[in-house]
Amino acid sequence: MASESPPAAAPAPDISPATPPIQPGLFELFVAFAKMSLAGFGGVLVWARRGIVDQHRWMTAEEFNETFALCHFLPGPNIVNLSVVFGSRFRGIAGGIAAFAGLVGPPMVIATILAALYARYGEIDALRRILAGVSCAAVGLLIAVVFKMMMPLIKKRDVVGLVMLVAVFIAIGLARLPLQAVLLVAIPVSLGITYIMRRRVKA
Amino acid sequence: MNSQTNPVSTLVWTFGLMSLFAVGGANSAIPEMHRVAVDVHHWMDDKQFADIFAISQLSPGPNVLIVTLIGYAVGGVVGALAATLAMCGPTAVLAYYVSRLLQRSSHSPWPAIIQAALVPLSIGLMGASGLILALTSDRNWVAAMITVAAAVLAFATRLNPVWMLLAGGALGFAGIIG
């Protein structure tokens, strides 16, 4: 793989001819993503941006935003998608795998150890009390993220978006319908309405 | 879907499929994980699910590692590995091909439309995650107050979330939550 020319990695030359993009190697990709991942408590995105854009200068902030936007609308864990897309831009499939392994491998080992400890000691009363407290706070953090993400929709007065949001919340959170069934209806409806609204704005 | 089959293959099938429907990431898929792990397969009870969520938030790395913990509870180390790869693999392959496709046609309006259409859905899913986890974690009003306090602090300040998790743990250890 090393002898292969990097697949369309360089940004279009008219954007920033001043700084040639630095090409990370496979091992560098693995280490960089392992570091970001292990630093990231409650979300790796902030650290990924810091590592990729500020520290290594592998991408400009704009390129990073574009790549992340792509990974956000794809299903699945966003940051995992980002690692694969990012790694493969520089080093093809091997690069994608190296970045993915760095992101998921080391923390997965830690999570497995914690899971084993929990399986063995989870019944201890003090530990149960601590975890109960942590989970109360962790739920609060998640709810805060939800409200932070809702703010742009509210500011834009995106009525359609807010209605879809509430509908999905009710279907999954209150009615407890299966995810697949809800999304098989919600995704086409939301796409259709968004598409029609945009065409109307243009017309 | 019957419980007679090998639990590890059930894990792979369940999370592999979930991966492709997890719009907005792992935290959006929590209601589905809860439904599958607690209601459908009875791999764990509510309390254990809340514990596993707490552990996943306490450990570094992407949020998706909650499936590592669920996998371990079902099938040990093999289960942990299988669940994690199943949850990450299909969507990673999809991401790879879509990104290559989009590099060729970067002026298409569709990425923006798809994103605008999907973001509200993923927020709704995450809201549902918050609700379901709150119902499993917050057994009394003190616990609910901790959740509300953490939510307000995380929303209004730039305090590192780790401190709120640790504070919650300390309050729990002190026996306030009961």
Side-chain angles (χ1 to χ4, degrees):
Chain A
M1 292 304 286
S3 62
E4 192 187 48
S5 63
D14 54 321
I15 296 173
S16 60
T19 48
I22 306 154
Q23 295 284 322
L26 289 182
F27 185 69
E28 259 183 290
L29 280 171
F30 177 87
V31 171
F33 273 88
K35 274 190 192 160
M36 294 168 203
S37 188
L38 291 174
F41 285 89
V44 180
L45 177 65
V46 184
W47 294 94
R49 181 189 296 272
R50 191 175 293 185
I52 291 173
V53 178
D54 302 335
Q55 213 180 328
H56 293 291
R57 296 180 191 281
W58 284 334
M59 272 183 175
T60 65
E62 267 173 32
E63 287 170 309
F64 183 86
N65 282 352
E66 273 171 31
T67 310
F68 185 71
L70 163 75
C71 297
H72 193 88
F73 84 68
L74 288 169
N78 303 323
I79 198 77
V80 172
N81 292 343
L82 181 80
S83 73
V84 173
V85 170
F86 181 85
S88 63
R89 288 238 167 124
F90 291 104
R91 294 280 164 197
I93 291 179
I97 293 174
F100 169 79
L103 179 81
V104 173
M108 193 175 80
V109 172
I110 294 175
T112 307
I113 293 169
L114 290 176
L117 289 174
Y118 175 72
R120 182 136 167 67
Y121 301 109
E123 293 303 314
I124 292 176
D125 189 51
L127 189 65
R128 291 189 78 96
R129 291 207 307 268
I130 292 172
L131 284 178
V134 172
S135 67
C136 293
V139 176
L141 298 181
L142 180 63
I143 293 171
V145 172
V146 172
F147 279 102
K148 274 185 188 169
M149 291 181 71
M150 258 170 72
M151 291 314 287
L153 296 186
I154 294 172
K155 276 185 192 149
K156 276 189 291 181
R157 307 235 167 91
D158 182 351
V159 180
V160 175
L162 289 169
V163 168
M164 290 305 300
L165 188 161
V166 172
V168 168
F169 175 79
I170 291 170
I172 299 280
L174 298 177
R176 303 281 173 105
L177 299 173
L179 181 68
Q180 282 91 331
V182 172
L183 289 181
L184 281 176
V185 176
I187 290 175
V189 169
S190 187
L191 271 177
I193 297 176
T194 309
Y195 181 68
I196 293 166
M197 298 287 280
R198 298 227 164 175
R199 287 192 60 170
R200 264 202 206 153
V201 170
K202 270 184 196 166
Chain B
M1 282 285 174
N2 65 60
S3 53
Q4 314 268 298
T5 51
N6 179 6
V8 173
S9 62
T10 312
L11 278 173
V12 170
W13 166 246
T14 304
F15 286 120
L17 191 64
M18 200 185 291
S19 154
L20 295 172
F21 281 88
V23 177
N27 276 345
S28 319
I30 284 176
E32 183 68 3
M33 292 179 195
H34 179 271
R35 199 182 68 82
V36 167
V38 178
D39 300 335
V40 177
H41 293 297
H42 306 290
W43 287 329
M44 57 190 66
D45 60 24
D46 260 356
K47 163 74 181 148
Q48 285 167 313
F49 190 86
D51 283 350
I52 276 178
F53 174 69
I55 296 170
S56 78
Q57 296 298 302
L58 269 181
S59 56
N63 296 324
V64 67
L65 292 176
I66 187 174
V67 305
T68 310
L69 296 158
I70 295 174
Y72 187 91
V74 176
V77 175
V78 176
L81 193 65
T84 311
L85 289 179
M87 186 72 188
C88 298
T91 170
V93 172
L94 184 72
Y96 174 76
Y97 282 107
V98 171
S99 85
R100 294 193 58 135
L101 204 71
L102 287 181
Q103 275 183 334
R104 270 180 245 149
S105 60
S106 55
H107 295 295
S108 160
W110 278 102
I113 291 177
I114 294 174
Q115 207 192 342
L118 293 196
V119 165
L121 305 185
S122 77
I123 303 172
L125 291 175
M126 287 174 63
S129 300
L131 175 70
I132 285 172
L133 288 165
L135 291 175
T136 60
S137 304
D138 298 343
R139 307 283 176 77
N140 57 37
W141 67 271
V142 181
M145 286 308 294
I146 295 175
T147 299
V148 171
V152 170
L153 277 176
F155 185 78
T157 72
R158 293 179 150 270
L159 202 63
N160 190 325
V162 173
W163 296 116
M164 296 170 220
L165 296 178
L166 292 178
L171 289 170
F173 181 71
I176 293 174
I177 295 164

